[in-house]
Amino acid sequence: MKGLKALLTLRGTYIGIIAAVMFQLIFFSVWLTAYKGVQDRMDNMSIGIVNEDQSGVTNIAKELEQQLPFQVTQYDSFEKASDKMNNREIEMVIQIPSDFTTTLQSGDRPSIYYWINQASATFSKTMMEQVANQVNNEVNEKVFSFQTEAGAAMFEQKLQQLPLEQAIAQAVGEEVQTALKSLHPEPVEGIIKKTNAVNEFSANLVPLMVIISSFVGAMVMIMQVNEATETIQSSYSKWDLFLSRQLINIGVAFLSPFLTIGLMKLFDITSHEPMWMIYLFQGSLFLAFLMFAQVFVLLFGNYGMVFNILALSLQLVTSGVLVSRELLENGYHKLASFLPATYGADGYYSIVFGGNSGMLTHDIAYLWLVTGVTFILGIVAVSVRRDKMKVKSPQNTASMGI
């Protein structure tokens, strides 16, 4: 029991206990408040409609725009809508082909295409597929009802023009009604097209996995380097140690991409960007995580781990990997712009799924902005701390022969 008493006298023991409690408390609080009322914010999501059928006979596009519980935008061309979708500004594109009405009038089954971007949050992709199926069912109900009503009216008009006895006309009318009922109950075929799709399901986990592993790794590394720094801080100035820590951060940050790229190759994760771009992006992401986690440790010492736990939870929630950021509570949605994981998730969607390669350059720029801001905050944190380097007394210098 002496060992227990000794452990209870150490600060590190209580820091570990606090961390265990705070992990559960923070994750419950952040995740449940961020995702509360997600269904009520569906109208924040955007869908594009491209109506190439200019016959004017059907009003499907206008009806969808009025009835869908989303922000719906009409586009003149599929190319414009596709670019918006690749930029992740809209979740899905509904395309009504130019031959929709003529195919329907000829008695064949026309198609409506539902284009869903796979380089987006898991929840959003699943929800858009459900929406596509629901929309197509509603379109089929309206088109089928329109077909039966129009067909019945046409036959009744023709019968009235023919010199038939009432009984014969009634019998023919009943036959017509029977024939109309034999129409295809689903006259419109809904075709779901998945853009930027990958074959392996495991590839969908890469953005989330990289964010978790990179930030947790950065958080642990910063804590261990801080403990090592405390053991030698009496021998070196605070600025010497700070500069040394930054050199370590940069070195590790730009060595880590070799491991990341190697693991992606090992597990056959496809990439749509050149290796040098992936290297630069992963190095920038890890450096941003290191600088971000470092600020709290420089300000609060080992107790800064609590703030890093909070930062981890916030970044997982707001990154847009599990649930689209548009569905989050407004405060979390705004906070996402200031956290490096947001740009990390966007970048890896571009790397793994493809789409808009220009977004990767945008994400790297923002990661360097986060790195610069947190580096400046780190300088401020060090400047307000006392330098604990021991001042050498004259007796000590004399004994050293100085």
Side-chain angles (χ1 to χ4, degrees):
M1 298 302 291
K2 292 182 179 180
L4 175 61
K5 293 181 179 179
L7 286 174
L8 292 177
T9 61
L10 298 176
R11 185 182 63 171
T13 301
Y14 295 98
I15 292 177
I17 295 173
I18 291 173
V21 174
M22 294 305 294
F23 254 110
Q24 188 169 161
L25 179 61
I26 289 173
F27 269 68
F28 262 81
S29 301
V30 172
W31 286 61
L32 295 185
T33 54
Y35 291 155
K36 184 177 180 181
V38 164
Q39 294 84 352
D40 300 331
R41 291 186 287 271
M42 293 296 183
D43 56 348
N44 291 339
M45 303 189 74
S46 300
I47 289 179
I49 297 180
V50 180
N51 184 17
E52 299 173 348
D53 183 10
Q54 300 300 322
S55 64
V57 176
T58 58
N59 295 319
I60 293 177
K62 291 183 179 180
E63 292 181 2
L64 289 177
E65 184 176 3
Q66 294 172 357
Q67 296 177 7
L68 283 173
F70 304 103
Q71 296 181 17
V72 180
T73 304
Q74 298 272 356
Y75 291 95
D76 297 332
S77 67
F78 177 74
E79 288 73 19
K80 291 181 181 179
S82 181
D83 289 342
K84 291 289 184 179
M85 184 169 61
N86 284 332
N87 289 335
R88 304 188 191 101
E89 296 179 30
I90 57 177
E91 305 291 335
M92 178 172 64
V93 175
I94 301 176
Q95 181 188 17
I96 303 174
S98 58
D99 61 346
F100 182 86
T101 298
T102 55
T103 303
L104 190 63
Q105 291 175 340
S106 67
D108 295 329
R109 293 183 71 195
S111 300
I112 292 181
Y113 298 95
Y114 301 89
W115 300 84
I116 302 174
N117 188 11
Q118 298 303 293
S120 58
T122 304
F123 178 78
S124 299
K125 292 183 288 189
T126 303
M127 184 179 66
M128 285 299 112
E129 288 193 38
Q130 295 174 352
V131 170
N133 291 322
Q134 181 180 349
V135 167
N136 207 70
N137 289 336
E138 293 177 357
V139 169
N140 273 317
E141 290 178 3
K142 292 178 180 179
V143 172
F144 182 71
S145 176
F146 173 79
Q147 285 181 326
T148 54
E149 291 176 2
M154 182 185 66
F155 276 109
E156 288 178 4
Q157 183 180 6
K158 292 292 185 183
L159 285 174
Q160 291 175 0
Q161 295 175 356
L162 295 175
L164 298 176
E165 296 181 2
Q166 184 67 26
I168 297 176
Q170 184 177 357
V172 173
E174 291 176 355
E175 290 295 327
V176 170
Q177 292 292 339
T178 302
L180 290 174
K181 291 180 180 179
S182 65
L183 291 173
H184 200 295
E186 296 182 356
V188 178
E189 181 183 14
I191 301 177
I192 295 178
K193 297 277 190 176
K194 297 181 178 182
T195 65
N196 304 320
V198 293
N199 294 326
E200 290 291 336
F201 173 79
S202 58
N204 291 277
L205 304 176
V206 171
L208 177 63
M209 179 182 62
V210 172
I211 288 173
I212 294 176
S213 61
S214 296
F215 188 75
V216 172
M219 184 171 64
V220 173
M221 173 182 156
I222 290 297
M223 289 297 300
Q224 293 301 315
V225 172
N226 187 66
E227 290 186 4
T229 302
E230 289 182 349
T231 62
I232 60 173
Q233 63 183 349
S234 60
S235 303
Y236 302 90
S237 71
K238 62 181 182 180
W239 292 113
D240 188 5
L241 292 174
F242 177 73
L243 178 60
S244 300
R245 292 170 72 164
Q246 306 323 302
L247 294 176
I248 293 174
N249 289 342
I250 295 172
V252 174
F254 286 95
L255 285 175
S256 69
F258 292 110
L259 176 61
T260 305
I261 294 172
L263 290 173
M264 290 177 65
K265 290 290 185 182
L266 178 64
F267 291 99
D268 296 323
I269 303 298
T270 58
S271 59
H272 293 79
E273 298 290 339
M275 289 297 106
W276 69 269
M277 182 63 80
I278 299 175
Y279 171 85
L280 179 60
F281 176 77
Q282 175 59 26
S284 301
L285 175 63
F286 197 56
L287 183 61
F289 279 150
L290 285 169
M291 293 295 184
F292 190 86
Q294 176 182 252
V295 170
F296 301 109
V297 174
L298 290 175
L299 286 172
F300 307 107
N302 288 335
Y303 293 104
M305 179 171 57
V306 174
F307 294 94
N308 278 326
I309 294 172
L310 176 60
L312 171 63
S313 184
L314 287 172
Q315 292 188 99
L316 292 178
V317 166
T318 61
S319 64
V321 175
L322 299 176
V323 174
S324 177
R325 290 187 288 271
E326 288 73 18
L327 297 178
L328 299 177
E329 192 273 335
N330 189 45
Y332 288 96
H333 187 208
K334 292 180 178 179
L335 181 63
S337 301
F338 301 96
L339 300 175
T342 300
Y343 308 104
D346 284 344
Y348 269 100
Y349 275 131
S350 299
I351 291 171
V352 177
F353 295 90
N356 189 345
S357 59
M359 292 186 66
L360 196 58
T361 305
H362 167 273
D363 294 324
I364 292 174
Y366 271 93
L367 287 173
W368 277 100
L369 178 60
V370 171
T371 300
V373 171
T374 50
F375 177 73
I376 293 173
L377 292 176
I379 292 176
V380 174
V382 173
S383 65
V384 299
R385 294 175 60 183
R386 291 181 57 189
D387 196 336
K388 296 184 178 180
M389 184 179 68
K390 291 181 180 179
V391 179
K392 296 176 181 178
S393 63
Q395 293 80 2
N396 290 336
T397 56
S399 63
M400 293 174 64
I402 300 177

